[in-house]
Short mmCIF file of all heavy atoms in Angstrom, two decimals:
data_model
loop_
_atom_site.label_atom_id
_atom_site.label_comp_id
_atom_site.label_asym_id
_atom_site.label_seq_id
_atom_site.Cartn_x
_atom_site.Cartn_y
_atom_site.Cartn_z
N ASP A 1 -7.92 64.63 -6.10
CA ASP A 1 -7.75 65.33 -7.37
C ASP A 1 -8.21 64.36 -8.45
O ASP A 1 -7.44 63.56 -8.98
CB ASP A 1 -6.28 65.71 -7.57
CG ASP A 1 -6.05 66.55 -8.83
OD1 ASP A 1 -7.03 66.80 -9.56
OD2 ASP A 1 -4.90 66.94 -9.09
N VAL A 2 -9.51 64.41 -8.79
CA VAL A 2 -10.12 63.33 -9.57
C VAL A 2 -10.63 63.83 -10.91
O VAL A 2 -11.05 64.98 -11.05
CB VAL A 2 -11.28 62.66 -8.78
CG1 VAL A 2 -10.75 62.08 -7.49
CG2 VAL A 2 -12.40 63.64 -8.51
N HIS A 3 -10.59 62.92 -11.87
CA HIS A 3 -11.11 63.23 -13.21
C HIS A 3 -12.63 63.12 -13.21
O HIS A 3 -13.20 62.18 -12.68
CB HIS A 3 -10.53 62.26 -14.23
CG HIS A 3 -10.93 62.56 -15.65
ND1 HIS A 3 -12.14 62.15 -16.18
CD2 HIS A 3 -10.30 63.24 -16.63
CE1 HIS A 3 -12.22 62.56 -17.43
NE2 HIS A 3 -11.13 63.23 -17.73
N ASN A 4 -13.24 64.11 -13.81
CA ASN A 4 -14.70 64.12 -13.94
C ASN A 4 -15.04 63.76 -15.38
O ASN A 4 -14.60 64.44 -16.30
CB ASN A 4 -15.22 65.52 -13.60
CG ASN A 4 -16.72 65.64 -13.71
OD1 ASN A 4 -17.44 64.72 -13.39
ND2 ASN A 4 -17.19 66.79 -14.18
N PRO A 5 -15.78 62.64 -15.61
CA PRO A 5 -16.56 61.85 -14.66
C PRO A 5 -15.98 60.46 -14.36
O PRO A 5 -16.69 59.64 -13.78
CB PRO A 5 -17.88 61.69 -15.42
CG PRO A 5 -17.43 61.53 -16.86
CD PRO A 5 -16.19 62.37 -17.01
N VAL A 6 -14.74 60.17 -14.75
CA VAL A 6 -14.22 58.81 -14.65
C VAL A 6 -14.22 58.32 -13.20
O VAL A 6 -14.66 57.20 -12.91
CB VAL A 6 -12.80 58.71 -15.24
CG1 VAL A 6 -12.19 57.34 -14.97
CG2 VAL A 6 -12.86 58.96 -16.75
N PHE A 7 -13.76 59.15 -12.27
CA PHE A 7 -13.70 58.74 -10.87
C PHE A 7 -15.10 58.43 -10.34
O PHE A 7 -15.34 57.37 -9.75
CB PHE A 7 -13.05 59.83 -10.02
CG PHE A 7 -12.95 59.47 -8.56
CD1 PHE A 7 -11.80 58.90 -8.05
CD2 PHE A 7 -14.00 59.71 -7.68
CE1 PHE A 7 -11.69 58.56 -6.70
CE2 PHE A 7 -13.92 59.38 -6.34
CZ PHE A 7 -12.75 58.80 -5.85
N GLY A 8 -16.03 59.35 -10.55
CA GLY A 8 -17.38 59.18 -10.01
C GLY A 8 -18.10 57.97 -10.59
O GLY A 8 -18.73 57.20 -9.85
N VAL A 9 -18.02 57.79 -11.90
CA VAL A 9 -18.69 56.65 -12.53
C VAL A 9 -18.08 55.34 -12.08
O VAL A 9 -18.78 54.37 -11.75
CB VAL A 9 -18.62 56.77 -14.07
CG1 VAL A 9 -19.15 55.52 -14.73
CG2 VAL A 9 -19.41 57.99 -14.54
N SER A 10 -16.73 55.29 -12.03
CA SER A 10 -16.05 54.05 -11.62
C SER A 10 -16.40 53.69 -10.18
O SER A 10 -16.77 52.54 -9.88
CB SER A 10 -14.53 54.22 -11.75
OG SER A 10 -14.16 54.51 -13.08
N ALA A 11 -16.26 54.66 -9.26
CA ALA A 11 -16.57 54.40 -7.86
C ALA A 11 -18.04 54.02 -7.69
O ALA A 11 -18.39 53.12 -6.92
CB ALA A 11 -16.23 55.63 -7.02
N GLY A 12 -18.93 54.70 -8.43
CA GLY A 12 -20.35 54.40 -8.33
C GLY A 12 -20.68 52.99 -8.79
O GLY A 12 -21.47 52.27 -8.15
N LEU A 13 -20.09 52.55 -9.89
CA LEU A 13 -20.34 51.21 -10.40
C LEU A 13 -19.79 50.14 -9.45
O LEU A 13 -20.40 49.08 -9.27
CB LEU A 13 -19.72 51.05 -11.79
CG LEU A 13 -20.42 51.81 -12.92
CD1 LEU A 13 -19.64 51.69 -14.22
CD2 LEU A 13 -21.85 51.31 -13.11
N VAL A 14 -18.66 50.43 -8.83
CA VAL A 14 -18.09 49.48 -7.86
C VAL A 14 -19.01 49.34 -6.65
O VAL A 14 -19.30 48.23 -6.18
CB VAL A 14 -16.69 49.93 -7.41
CG1 VAL A 14 -16.20 49.10 -6.23
CG2 VAL A 14 -15.70 49.81 -8.57
N LEU A 15 -19.48 50.47 -6.14
CA LEU A 15 -20.39 50.43 -4.99
C LEU A 15 -21.70 49.75 -5.36
O LEU A 15 -22.27 49.00 -4.55
CB LEU A 15 -20.64 51.85 -4.49
CG LEU A 15 -19.44 52.56 -3.87
CD1 LEU A 15 -19.77 54.01 -3.53
CD2 LEU A 15 -18.96 51.83 -2.62
N LEU A 16 -22.19 49.99 -6.58
CA LEU A 16 -23.41 49.33 -7.04
C LEU A 16 -23.22 47.83 -7.10
O LEU A 16 -24.11 47.05 -6.72
CB LEU A 16 -23.79 49.87 -8.42
CG LEU A 16 -25.11 49.35 -9.02
CD1 LEU A 16 -26.29 49.77 -8.16
CD2 LEU A 16 -25.28 49.86 -10.46
N PHE A 17 -22.04 47.40 -7.54
CA PHE A 17 -21.74 45.97 -7.59
C PHE A 17 -21.75 45.37 -6.19
O PHE A 17 -22.31 44.30 -5.96
CB PHE A 17 -20.38 45.76 -8.25
CG PHE A 17 -19.89 44.33 -8.19
CD1 PHE A 17 -20.33 43.40 -9.11
CD2 PHE A 17 -19.00 43.93 -7.20
CE1 PHE A 17 -19.89 42.08 -9.04
CE2 PHE A 17 -18.56 42.63 -7.13
CZ PHE A 17 -19.00 41.69 -8.06
N LEU A 18 -21.13 46.07 -5.23
CA LEU A 18 -21.10 45.56 -3.86
C LEU A 18 -22.49 45.44 -3.28
O LEU A 18 -22.82 44.46 -2.61
CB LEU A 18 -20.24 46.49 -2.98
CG LEU A 18 -18.73 46.33 -3.11
CD1 LEU A 18 -18.02 47.40 -2.28
CD2 LEU A 18 -18.28 44.94 -2.66
N VAL A 19 -23.35 46.43 -3.54
CA VAL A 19 -24.73 46.38 -3.04
C VAL A 19 -25.46 45.20 -3.68
O VAL A 19 -26.20 44.47 -3.00
CB VAL A 19 -25.46 47.70 -3.36
CG1 VAL A 19 -26.95 47.57 -3.06
CG2 VAL A 19 -24.87 48.84 -2.55
N ALA A 20 -25.25 45.00 -4.98
CA ALA A 20 -25.92 43.89 -5.67
C ALA A 20 -25.50 42.55 -5.08
O ALA A 20 -26.33 41.64 -4.93
CB ALA A 20 -25.57 43.93 -7.16
N VAL A 21 -24.23 42.43 -4.74
CA VAL A 21 -23.75 41.18 -4.14
C VAL A 21 -24.35 41.00 -2.75
O VAL A 21 -24.72 39.89 -2.35
CB VAL A 21 -22.20 41.18 -4.05
CG1 VAL A 21 -21.70 40.00 -3.22
CG2 VAL A 21 -21.61 41.11 -5.45
N LEU A 22 -24.47 42.10 -2.00
CA LEU A 22 -25.02 42.02 -0.65
C LEU A 22 -26.46 41.55 -0.65
O LEU A 22 -26.89 40.80 0.24
CB LEU A 22 -24.92 43.39 0.03
CG LEU A 22 -23.53 43.81 0.54
CD1 LEU A 22 -23.54 45.28 0.96
CD2 LEU A 22 -23.11 42.94 1.72
N VAL A 23 -27.24 42.00 -1.63
CA VAL A 23 -28.67 41.69 -1.63
C VAL A 23 -29.01 40.44 -2.45
O VAL A 23 -30.15 40.02 -2.47
CB VAL A 23 -29.50 42.88 -2.15
CG1 VAL A 23 -29.28 44.11 -1.28
CG2 VAL A 23 -29.15 43.19 -3.61
N SER A 24 -28.01 39.88 -3.13
CA SER A 24 -28.29 38.71 -3.96
C SER A 24 -27.57 37.49 -3.40
O SER A 24 -26.75 37.58 -2.49
CB SER A 24 -27.85 38.95 -5.41
OG SER A 24 -26.45 39.10 -5.48
N ASP A 25 -27.86 36.36 -3.98
CA ASP A 25 -27.23 35.11 -3.58
C ASP A 25 -25.95 34.92 -4.39
O ASP A 25 -25.96 35.05 -5.62
CB ASP A 25 -28.20 33.96 -3.85
CG ASP A 25 -27.57 32.62 -3.52
OD1 ASP A 25 -27.16 32.43 -2.37
OD2 ASP A 25 -27.49 31.77 -4.44
N ALA A 26 -24.84 34.62 -3.70
CA ALA A 26 -23.55 34.48 -4.36
C ALA A 26 -23.57 33.38 -5.42
O ALA A 26 -22.99 33.51 -6.50
CB ALA A 26 -22.45 34.21 -3.33
N GLU A 27 -24.28 32.30 -5.11
CA GLU A 27 -24.34 31.19 -6.06
C GLU A 27 -25.09 31.60 -7.33
O GLU A 27 -24.69 31.23 -8.44
CB GLU A 27 -25.03 30.00 -5.41
CG GLU A 27 -25.00 28.74 -6.26
CD GLU A 27 -25.58 27.53 -5.54
OE1 GLU A 27 -25.83 27.62 -4.32
OE2 GLU A 27 -25.78 26.50 -6.21
N THR A 28 -26.14 32.40 -7.17
CA THR A 28 -26.89 32.88 -8.33
C THR A 28 -26.04 33.81 -9.17
O THR A 28 -26.03 33.72 -10.41
CB THR A 28 -28.17 33.61 -7.87
OG1 THR A 28 -28.96 32.73 -7.08
CG2 THR A 28 -28.96 34.10 -9.07
N ALA A 29 -25.33 34.72 -8.49
CA ALA A 29 -24.47 35.66 -9.20
C ALA A 29 -23.37 34.90 -9.95
O ALA A 29 -23.06 35.21 -11.11
CB ALA A 29 -23.85 36.65 -8.23
N LYS A 30 -22.78 33.90 -9.29
CA LYS A 30 -21.73 33.12 -9.94
C LYS A 30 -22.28 32.39 -11.16
O LYS A 30 -21.64 32.36 -12.21
CB LYS A 30 -21.14 32.11 -8.96
CG LYS A 30 -20.08 31.18 -9.57
CD LYS A 30 -19.54 30.21 -8.54
CE LYS A 30 -18.52 29.26 -9.16
NZ LYS A 30 -19.11 28.38 -10.17
N SER A 31 -23.45 31.81 -11.03
CA SER A 31 -24.06 31.09 -12.13
C SER A 31 -24.31 32.00 -13.33
O SER A 31 -24.01 31.65 -14.48
CB SER A 31 -25.36 30.44 -11.68
OG SER A 31 -25.99 29.77 -12.74
N ALA A 32 -24.82 33.21 -13.05
CA ALA A 32 -25.13 34.14 -14.14
C ALA A 32 -23.86 34.63 -14.82
O ALA A 32 -23.77 34.64 -16.05
CB ALA A 32 -25.92 35.32 -13.59
N LEU A 33 -22.87 35.04 -14.02
CA LEU A 33 -21.64 35.57 -14.60
C LEU A 33 -20.81 34.47 -15.25
O LEU A 33 -20.15 34.69 -16.27
CB LEU A 33 -20.83 36.29 -13.53
CG LEU A 33 -21.41 37.61 -13.05
CD1 LEU A 33 -20.65 38.15 -11.84
CD2 LEU A 33 -21.40 38.63 -14.18
N ASP A 34 -20.85 33.27 -14.68
CA ASP A 34 -20.17 32.14 -15.31
C ASP A 34 -20.78 31.83 -16.67
O ASP A 34 -20.07 31.53 -17.64
CB ASP A 34 -20.26 30.89 -14.42
CG ASP A 34 -18.96 30.64 -13.66
OD1 ASP A 34 -17.95 31.29 -13.99
OD2 ASP A 34 -18.95 29.80 -12.75
N GLY A 35 -22.11 31.91 -16.73
CA GLY A 35 -22.79 31.67 -17.99
C GLY A 35 -22.36 32.67 -19.05
O GLY A 35 -22.10 32.30 -20.21
N LEU A 36 -22.25 33.94 -18.65
CA LEU A 36 -21.80 34.98 -19.59
C LEU A 36 -20.36 34.72 -20.01
O LEU A 36 -20.02 34.82 -21.20
CB LEU A 36 -21.92 36.35 -18.92
CG LEU A 36 -21.36 37.54 -19.72
CD1 LEU A 36 -22.13 37.71 -21.03
CD2 LEU A 36 -21.43 38.82 -18.87
N LYS A 37 -19.50 34.38 -19.03
CA LYS A 37 -18.09 34.13 -19.33
C LYS A 37 -17.93 33.00 -20.34
O LYS A 37 -17.21 33.14 -21.34
CB LYS A 37 -17.35 33.77 -18.04
CG LYS A 37 -15.88 33.42 -18.23
CD LYS A 37 -15.28 32.87 -16.95
CE LYS A 37 -15.76 31.44 -16.67
NZ LYS A 37 -15.13 30.85 -15.49
N TRP A 38 -18.60 31.86 -20.09
CA TRP A 38 -18.44 30.71 -20.98
C TRP A 38 -19.09 30.95 -22.34
O TRP A 38 -18.65 30.40 -23.35
CB TRP A 38 -18.99 29.45 -20.32
CG TRP A 38 -18.13 28.98 -19.20
CD1 TRP A 38 -18.45 28.94 -17.88
CD2 TRP A 38 -16.77 28.53 -19.30
NE1 TRP A 38 -17.38 28.47 -17.14
CE2 TRP A 38 -16.34 28.21 -17.98
CE3 TRP A 38 -15.89 28.36 -20.36
CZ2 TRP A 38 -15.07 27.75 -17.73
CZ3 TRP A 38 -14.60 27.89 -20.10
CH2 TRP A 38 -14.21 27.59 -18.80
N LYS A 39 -20.13 31.78 -22.39
CA LYS A 39 -20.73 32.14 -23.67
C LYS A 39 -19.73 32.94 -24.51
O LYS A 39 -19.57 32.68 -25.71
CB LYS A 39 -22.00 32.97 -23.43
CG LYS A 39 -22.73 33.39 -24.70
CD LYS A 39 -23.35 32.20 -25.41
CE LYS A 39 -24.19 32.64 -26.58
NZ LYS A 39 -24.75 31.49 -27.33
N ILE A 40 -19.05 33.88 -23.85
CA ILE A 40 -18.04 34.68 -24.55
C ILE A 40 -16.88 33.81 -25.00
O ILE A 40 -16.43 33.89 -26.15
CB ILE A 40 -17.54 35.82 -23.63
CG1 ILE A 40 -18.64 36.87 -23.44
CG2 ILE A 40 -16.27 36.46 -24.18
CD1 ILE A 40 -18.32 37.93 -22.42
N ILE A 41 -16.39 32.94 -24.10
CA ILE A 41 -15.26 32.08 -24.44
C ILE A 41 -15.61 31.12 -25.58
O ILE A 41 -14.83 30.92 -26.51
CB ILE A 41 -14.80 31.30 -23.19
CG1 ILE A 41 -14.05 32.23 -22.23
CG2 ILE A 41 -13.93 30.11 -23.56
CD1 ILE A 41 -13.64 31.59 -20.92
#
């Protein structure tokens, strides 16, 4: 019993994230996201 479109968009973005992690290098992803995090901080 799901809200349209919150459920679909949320689940889709999570799955997209998992695919991106699968096809990319964890160290590269960490470096990029760490850079964004420290820029914000």
